């Protein structure tokens, strides 16, 4: 268990260390900027990378055009993360491996690229339950000044869930093609 500001003590052996001792190649991929910054090779380490053969962060954010609000610029964090995982799986398809991933999508600002940004905007349930939002109730990581109805925020969130599902589907398909058996554990 991690507590913000905490440190994984050396006396604890991680799953990836145990698996590594038994011939598994271990990799960890994250799109979480906080976790990526807490690796052992950084001044502020929490030991998130302890025992991994490969541990990298994938957080390619788009440039913000002049005059645009950062939270309104389309982005996806799951695509580069899954692409890195797919490359790892392909490189080690005949080896026993342990792959750990921490996705940040779906997460504020909920700004998926087209067509995911608007695919749920006209959903009847969202339209029926739409309410005007007071800007003070919108979290600063998601706030966009010209989007003050609940439908816009929920639709963007659902679009990001769908986009993440599409990318995870690509990974699951690749895992199904591997020789042998694969154990898949998903937590939230």
């Amino acid at each position: 268990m991690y507590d913000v500001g905490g440190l994984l003590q050396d006396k604890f052996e991680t799953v990836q260390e145990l698996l590594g001792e038994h011939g598994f190649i271990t990799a960890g991929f994250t799109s979480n900027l906080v976790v990526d910054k807490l690796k052992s090779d950084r001044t502020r380490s929490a030991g998130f990378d302890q025992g991994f053969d490969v541990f990298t962060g994938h957080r390619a954010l788009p440039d913000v055009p002049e005059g645009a609000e950062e939270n309104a610029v389309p982005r996806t964090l799951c695509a580069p993360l899954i692409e890195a995982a797919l490359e790892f799986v392909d490189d080690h398809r005949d080896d026993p491996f342990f792959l750990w991933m921490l996705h940040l999508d779906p997460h504020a600002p909920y700004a998926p690229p087209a067509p995911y940004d608007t695919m749920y905007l006209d959903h009847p349930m969202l339209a029926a339950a739409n309410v005007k939002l007071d800007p003070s109730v919108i979290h600063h990581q998601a706030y966009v000044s010209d989007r003050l109805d609940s439908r816009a925020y929920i639709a963007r969130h659902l679009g990001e869930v769908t986009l993440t599902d599409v990318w995870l589907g690509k990974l699951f398909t690749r895992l199904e093609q591997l020789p042998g058996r694969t154990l898949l554990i998903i937590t939230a």
Side-chain angles (χ1 to χ4, degrees):
M1 169 163 297
Y2 173 70
D3 184 21
V4 175
L7 173 67
L8 177 60
Q9 299 173 22
D10 288 334
K11 68 180 182 180
F12 295 112
E13 192 168 22
T14 64
V15 169
Q16 55 272 18
E17 288 173 306
L18 289 169
L19 291 171
E21 291 169 6
H22 289 88
F24 282 72
I25 298 166
T26 62
F29 299 111
T30 181
S31 56
N32 186 314
L33 183 64
V34 174
V35 170
D36 185 41
K37 284 187 172 182
L38 296 175
K39 297 187 301 191
S40 298
D41 63 346
R42 307 285 173 98
T43 312
R44 288 183 51 231
S45 172
F48 276 104
D49 58 331
Q50 182 177 318
F52 284 108
D53 296 312
V54 176
F55 188 92
T56 57
H58 298 272
R59 190 170 168 82
L61 295 177
D63 293 329
V64 179
E66 189 172 327
E69 289 183 69
E70 182 177 356
N71 290 346
V73 178
R75 71 197 69 206
T76 177
L77 300 176
C78 66
L81 186 66
I82 297 289
E83 287 170 348
L86 289 170
E87 184 177 333
F88 174 82
V89 168
D90 289 345
D91 289 348
H92 300 285
R93 69 175 286 110
D94 296 318
D95 304 315
F97 65 82
F98 172 72
L99 172 62
W100 174 86
M101 301 177 72
L102 174 59
H103 285 263
L104 201 58
D105 285 342
H107 193 282
Y110 309 119
Y116 303 95
D117 58 338
T118 59
M119 67 190 323
Y120 293 101
L121 203 52
D122 295 324
H123 191 284
M125 287 178 58
L126 294 184
N130 190 40
V131 295
K132 184 170 174 65
L133 300 172
D134 182 314
S136 67
V137 302
I138 304 169
H139 192 277
H140 69 89
Q141 291 179 329
Y143 178 76
V144 177
S145 63
D146 67 347
R147 297 181 185 150
L148 295 177
D149 63 31
S150 61
R151 180 181 65 143
Y153 287 94
I154 295 170
R156 289 168 53 206
H157 177 264
L158 292 174
E160 216 167 83
V161 168
T162 301
L163 177 61
T164 301
D165 186 56
V166 165
W167 277 96
L168 285 171
K170 293 177 184 197
L171 177 62
F172 298 161
T173 298
R174 190 74 50 88
L175 292 173
E176 288 173 349
Q177 297 167 352
L178 294 176
R181 298 181 308 174
T182 302
L183 172 63
L184 184 62
I185 301 170
I186 301 174
T187 64

